[in-house]
Every structure is written in C-alpha cells, then in structure tokens.
Amino acid sequence: MLGGLMLALAAVAAPFQAIAAGTAEAAPAAAGSGMVMVLDSSGSMSGSDGAGSTRIAAARKAVGAVVDALPDGYPTGLRVYGADKPKGCDDTRLVRPVGALDRAGLKRAVAGVRPKGDTPIGLSLRKAADDLPRPAGGSVGKRTILLISDGEDNCQAPPPCKVAAQLAASGVDLHIDAIGFQVAGKARAQLECIAKAGNGRYYDAPDARALARQLQRAGQLSAEGYRFKGKQVRGTATKSSAPHLVPGQYLDSIGPDEERFYAVDLDAASTADFSATVVPQAGATVGLLDTVRTRIAYSTDSACESSTAMFGQSEGATPLTSAVSRVPSETGTGTCDKAGRYWLVVERKAAEGSDAARWPMELTFHVEPRLTKGVTPAQSEPEYGAGGKDATLPTSEPRDVTGGTGFNDARTLHPGVWRDRLLPAQTLWYKVPVGWGQQLRYDVEFANEPTVRGHSATTSFGGTQVYTPARTPVGSGTGEFDVSVPYDGRPASLAMGTVPVAWTNRYEGHPNVIPVHQKGDFYLAVTLGAKAAEIAQNPRIGVVLRVAVLGKEKAGPEAGAATVTGAASGRTPGARTDGAAQDGGGWSTGRVVAVAVGAVGVLLLAGLALAYVRARRKPSAGGGNSDPKRGGSW
C-alpha cells in the first residue's frame, strides 16, 4: 500500500513544484478586505543578502513574486519607511494606495525604493492601519499589515509591540504578520512580539529564497481567508436580552472566555440543528485545550445537550466548528421536548497566552422537516461496513481542483481523484453530495516535497475533517479513522468517512453516528499545520483526494424506498423526495441528543477519543438527561 501511495504521489508531484501566477477562479474579496505591505527601506537594506546581491534587491524580487501570486483584483498597497532621508523618525510613506491589485504598478513602486534612513516601525504600523479599507454594513472583512524588516525599530516611540496590540484590539478583522529577513537577537524578538501582539504570525527568512517563499505564503494566506456569509447579529451575556434567531445563517464575534446567548423558538416535534464556526487568524497562537462549546439551554436553569470542539494542537489556529442538535424523544415527555423558547449558547475557553483577539463567528440554525405522517423510516446504520479503512477508492488520473475558503464557497467534488495545493496554516474546503443510504469515504494524500536545509527536527501535521449538511463534525472519536497525521515533507496519508445516511441514526448511541441522519452536501476540510512553513521549499504543498460515495442512493428515508437510477441519481441534494412534510403529522422517537464535535486541528488528543460503541442504546425515559462524557472530542 505504501509503495502504491509513493508511486501515485510521484506521478503527480511535478505540477506542485511551480507556483501558479494568480489563483484560479478566486472569489471576490469580502467588503473591507485588503493588504498593505510595509517594507523596510532603511540604510541596512542596502547591505549584502549573502548571495551576491543586496537585501533591497532581494526584497524587490520577493514583492514581485507575491503580487504575481495574489488573486486578481485583491486590494493591495505598499508603504515604505526609511526611504526618503538619511535621518528621521517620521520617514514613512504610502507609495501605492490600497486598491484593486495593480501588479505592474506595485513592481514599479518597489523598484523605485532606495534605502537611506531610520527604522520607524511603530509609526509605520499605525499609518498602515489607516491605509486599509474599513468594513461597512456589518460585513466581516480581513485586513492585513504585512511587515518585512531586516532590523528593529530604532526610533523608540511609538513602541511597535504596543502599537501592534492596540491595532489588533481595534477590530476582529485586522492582523499583523511579520517577516524577519536575516535577523537575530533583539531584532527577531521584536518582530516576533509584533506578530504575536498583532494577532498574526512571524515568518523567518534567513536568505533571499526564504524571503520570497515566506512573503508569498503570508500574502496568499491573507488573500485566501475564510469567506463569511450571514446576517449580522450580536449575542448577549445573558438570556434575558438575547437576540431572537429564526432559521438561517448569522455572523457575530466572540472573545476569550466569553459566553454568547441567542434565543430561538422551537416546536415540540422537529429536530433543530445549530453550529458555531470560529475563524481565528490562520496560525494564531492557540493552546492544546482551547475550546469552543455549544449547548442548548431551556427554562430558567435547564440544559439539553452540549458539544465541545478543541484545537487539540498548539501549532496554530485553524477554523473550528462546534455543533449541537435537539432531537425530541419518542414519548414527548423529556425536559427539552416541549414547544417554547430555547437558547443557543456559545462559549469560548482560552488558555493563558493564547490569542486574545475576538474571533469572527458564523452561526447556523436549521429546522429539519418532519416525516410525513404514517411514514416508517428505514433502520439506522451505525456501522461503517464497506466504508471502513479498507474500502476500494478511485485510482484514476488526478484532476485539478481549487478548494474553497470555507463552508460557503466549498468546491463540489464528485467521486474520483482530485489534486490541489495548500499553504501551511491553510484549510481548504470541498463538498460532496451524499444521498439516503449512501456513505462518504475518501483519502487525503500529502505530497512528497523538496525540503529546506535544517528542517529535520521539525514535524508538522496534515489533517482532515468531514461535516454533515448541518455542519456537524463527525470524523473523530469513532475508532475507525484518525483526523491527522505527522508531516515532515515526505508522503503521508489519511483515511476518512461517514456511516451510511439514515434518518434513524439520530437515535443511535454514538455521537459521530447521530448526526449522519440527513442527505445533502457533506463538507470535507483539509488542513496543513503552520510549522510546514519551516519544512517545505515551495510556498504550497500538494495534496491528492480520492473520493468515493458508496452504496445505492435511495429515493427517501422510508423503509423499502426505491433505488434512485439513471439521471434521477444526480438530483440536487435537498430536492423533496424524502417523504418530509412541512406541517402536521410526524414520526419521532428517541431523546434529546448531544452531537459530538471534532476539529481539523486535532492531533495530539486523537488517541483519547471514545471507543466506538457499536451496541445500540435505547432512549432514556426522561429524554433530557445530559451526559457530559458525550459532549466533546475527547
């Protein structure tokens, strides 16, 4: 198997070696998004780069490379400091305003820079924040200051670390990345401090090639950030003033150790699904046990079930989703079976030293249509069966694909073999239509990459997660698959999948079987750890996905449903073929259940996942008793 994997990766390795100019089919940047590069043009940049040229010449080439790789039209500008006079701590100038990407204009601007003077980093950062556009109308943009420097601030005031912290605290959409070009000692420590205080990431560039590579990574990662979608809402710290939500999609933000309440009205018979996706700046500092928890509250002090998602690694932040469902019990007498007012509660827990920024958060609330009265659903399917680790997957030639930035622009995949490229600290998203009675099964293969010198002591990780149509993560804790694998530049692979889709899975005992109860688009997320930036020579790393949808699709969730054949099997997920009714009747058994969660980043805690309980468990009589052991990824 390993030999076959290496041959397959070798066959597709060549296309991953070159960096494409621009990003294919890039989505328009969110309103208010943009990047301003802040380039050190102080006297020291006229020094040698150690490869027969000057540091400023290497910086010019690197800036040219990154603008070639940015998406067409992405708002980009350039500010320089130390370029206009031999002495002066006010020497900072915007040479190219932030606007639709003008590659030729940016290259001309940086070509005209001549190193002369001092290093007023703090002042330049403050000015750069004003250079960037501001989101309007509640939109969630992504504003980036990308600092490139070969030394520390020699102007004393304003202190650059303090400025970075102040700017980062001014909004959830602003972060500061820093690239240190041939720096050490105090200079490197200051740049690392700026990046950490600015909710960004520090990239070390010991030579000209590394500068070009790290600048491309930082720029592309900023431009290709999560595309948000939803109506702006502001959760509250208490139930009494919580905003009222109707089914839909919403945007908010959440700070460290904060709890947010949202009110919803539920009937007595329908299943209600909730999800909360937080999106820290890619690679931001997080702790092993930093978590996001969702729960459903009822009455004065009652609670239904809760779920907890954790990063499970301290290499750097990735998007993290927690989800929970309310499933009424068969008897209708459980604590959370009544019609009335409920609350979705989202809580973020942060370890000391973790990213202190507010994180943008995307919420979804979905009410599933009830089965038509008299319809008997097919039996649940809690076993992987043919979809286990040994499933036969496609072996055809890979086709190129460009993954999306999140749930909202996930790229549709059909069964077959696909190849893509991703950046360290990046997560790419795809979706696969899966029908009643079918199950998703796929492999992710991370390519063999040329590595940088001295990387041998560094190991990163590759990860994947699969989400239901309601955005519930189901790929961890089953005992069947792992969500991550160590990656050091050599070939590495992961297997992932779901049990077959069955309406009555919602009454099963295992938290990663329960949510696989509705047909539709299942989401695949593939991520690469931030430390891979210290390993691979190429800015992006190749990845291959082998995707299969196993089993014959059924026309609905009912027992004895006909098999979908011919053109009908390609119907759009969600088309009304499932015996569901919008009103009246209904069939409901079971209890209020917790939906277990997982995150793409889980690495070190995968071994602590619950063993897969294959024996089916009967519903509890009360229906509302919460079992805290069922509420998390551990």
Side-chain angles (χ1 to χ4, degrees):
M1 181 179 295
L2 178 60
L5 170 62
M6 295 183 70
L7 287 173
L9 290 174
V12 300
F16 296 138
Q17 307 308 313
I19 301 303
T23 300
E25 302 182 23
S33 293
M35 177 175 67
V36 59
M37 290 179 280
V38 178
L39 177 62
D40 185 347
S41 301
S42 61
S44 60
M45 287 292 284
S46 61
S48 172
D49 70 348
S53 187
T54 62
R55 293 179 179 180
I56 192 64
R60 292 189 188 110
K61 291 179 181 179
V63 170
V66 73
V67 299
D68 282 342
L70 287 173
D72 291 341
Y74 188 75
T76 308
L78 176 67
R79 172 174 286 275
V80 299
Y81 59 81
D84 292 336
K85 47 190 176 184
K87 286 287 183 181
C89 286
D90 61 347
D91 186 2
T92 178
R93 175 167 53 95
L94 183 65
V95 297
R96 197 74 189 176
V98 177
L101 180 63
D102 178 356
R103 294 187 174 93
L106 282 163
K107 290 176 183 178
R108 286 196 300 270
V110 75
V113 172
R114 298 291 182 269
K116 289 187 178 74
D118 288 316
T119 313
I121 294 177
L123 177 64
S124 297
L125 293 176
R126 186 171 288 169
K127 295 283 188 181
D130 293 332
D131 298 336
L132 289 164
R134 294 191 176 274
S139 63
V140 180
K142 185 171 185 179
R143 299 184 300 150
T144 303
I145 298 173
L146 180 51
L147 171 66
I148 307 105
S149 179
D150 75 339
E152 63 181 312
D153 187 312
N154 67 346
C155 288
Q156 306 301 323
C161 259
K162 186 175 181 179
V163 170
Q166 291 170 342
L167 293 176
S170 66
V172 299
D173 62 327
L174 177 64
H175 75 287
I176 304 170
D177 290 332
I179 298 177
F181 185 23
Q182 296 183 333
V183 296
K186 290 182 179 180
R188 175 169 177 164
Q190 185 179 76
L191 292 173
E192 289 176 333
C193 177
I194 289 169
K196 184 173 182 178
N199 301 327
R201 187 161 187 85
Y202 173 76
Y203 297 85
D204 194 49
D207 54 46
R209 290 185 63 186
L211 177 65
R213 177 173 63 248
Q214 304 293 40
L215 187 54
Q216 286 185 57
R217 282 173 174 158
Q220 291 172 348
L221 197 60
S222 175
E224 297 171 21
Y226 191 102
R227 301 288 197 270
F228 292 92
K229 181 179 179 181
K231 180 181 179 182
Q232 199 70 36
V233 67
R234 184 176 293 277
T236 56
T238 62
K239 293 178 180 178
S240 58
S241 55
H244 180 260
L245 305 185
V246 297
Q249 190 161 314
Y250 300 88
L251 298 176
D252 200 356
S253 64
I254 189 167
D257 301 315
E258 188 173 82
E259 199 172 49
R260 308 286 272 179
F261 285 82
Y262 309 87
V264 297
D265 292 324
L266 303 179
D267 63 27
S270 300
T271 294
D273 303 313
F274 302 90
S275 76
T277 299
V278 295
V279 186
Q281 297 295 342
T285 303
V286 293
L288 189 70
L289 300 180
D290 281 12
T291 62
V292 172
R293 181 185 183 219
T294 50
R295 60 186 172 93
I296 302 171
Y298 178 68
S299 188
T300 304
D301 56 0
S302 299
C304 301
E305 296 287 352
S306 67
S307 294
T308 301
M310 68 177 70
F311 290 100
Q313 48 84 24
S314 55
E315 198 165 311
T318 58
L320 185 64
T321 298
S322 176
V324 68
S325 289
R326 177 268 220 169
V327 181
S329 68
E330 182 178 16
T331 62
T333 59
T335 303
C336 297
D337 287 348
K338 301 181 180 71
R341 176 61 54 91
Y342 292 76
W343 288 267
L344 167 66
V345 189
V346 184
E347 183 181 9
R348 173 186 165 192
K349 287 293 186 183
E352 185 177 352
S354 294
D355 183 15
R358 296 189 66 80
W359 291 346
M361 179 168 63
E362 192 169 77
L363 305 171
T364 62
F365 167 29
H366 173 65
V367 177
E368 298 179 22
R370 289 167 282 169
L371 289 182
T372 304
K373 189 173 183 179
V375 170
T376 301
Q379 186 173 337
S380 61
E381 298 199 49
E383 305 289 342
Y384 282 91
K389 285 186 176 180
D390 296 329
T392 300
L393 299 182
T395 57
S396 57
E397 284 295 313
R399 289 177 284 175
D400 291 329
V401 67
T402 300
T405 66
F407 286 109
N408 303 306
D409 61 356
R411 187 66 177 271
T412 300
L413 299 182
H414 294 285
V417 184
W418 307 87
R419 67 181 169 204
D420 205 343
R421 296 169 301 140
L422 75 165
L423 298 159
Q426 185 179 40
T427 301
L428 295 177
W429 300 74
Y430 314 87
K431 58 185 178 182
V432 180
V434 183
W436 294 115
Q438 295 183 308
Q439 63 187 131
L440 174 64
R441 175 69 174 81
Y442 68 97
D443 277 359
V444 180
E445 300 165 1
F446 298 92
N448 190 26
E449 288 283 339
T451 56
V452 299
R453 287 178 296 179
H455 82 284
S456 57
T458 302
T459 299
S460 186
F461 73 90
T464 190
Q465 181 57 278
V466 58
Y467 301 82
T468 71
R471 301 191 178 184
T472 305
V474 296
S476 59
T478 61
E480 185 74 19
F481 302 111
D482 295 321
V483 296
S484 59
V485 64
Y487 182 70
D488 61 2
R490 290 175 290 188
S493 65
L494 281 169
M496 184 55 67
T498 72
V499 297
V501 178
W503 180 275
T504 43
N505 280 351
R506 69 192 66 204
Y507 306 121
E508 279 294 331
H510 197 283
N512 289 330
V513 173
I514 292 167
V516 187
H517 62 243
Q518 190 76 2
K519 75 165 188 174
D521 287 334
F522 280 69
Y523 298 92
L524 286 59
V526 178
T527 197
L528 190 65
K531 284 187 178 179
E534 304 170 22
I535 298 172
Q537 282 187 10
N538 294 325
R540 295 181 189 264
I541 286 89
V543 62
V544 170
L545 294 92
R546 302 182 184 276
V547 179
V549 177
L550 307 175
K552 295 181 179 180
E553 182 182 2
K554 301 297 183 181
E558 67 272 14
T563 299
V564 176
T565 58
S569 64
R571 67 169 58 88
T572 301
R576 185 64 69 229
T577 61
D578 53 10
Q582 298 293 342
D583 54 10
W587 180 93
S588 179
T589 64
R591 62 189 183 284
V592 179
V593 296
V595 178
V597 299
V600 172
V602 173
L603 175 63
L604 299 178
L605 298 183
L608 301 180
L610 291 172
Y612 189 178
V613 182
R614 297 185 180 273
R616 295 177 58 182
R617 290 163 48 178
K618 295 182 179 180
S620 61
N625 297 327
S626 175
D627 180 358
K629 294 182 180 179
R630 290 172 45 229
S633 299
W634 46 76

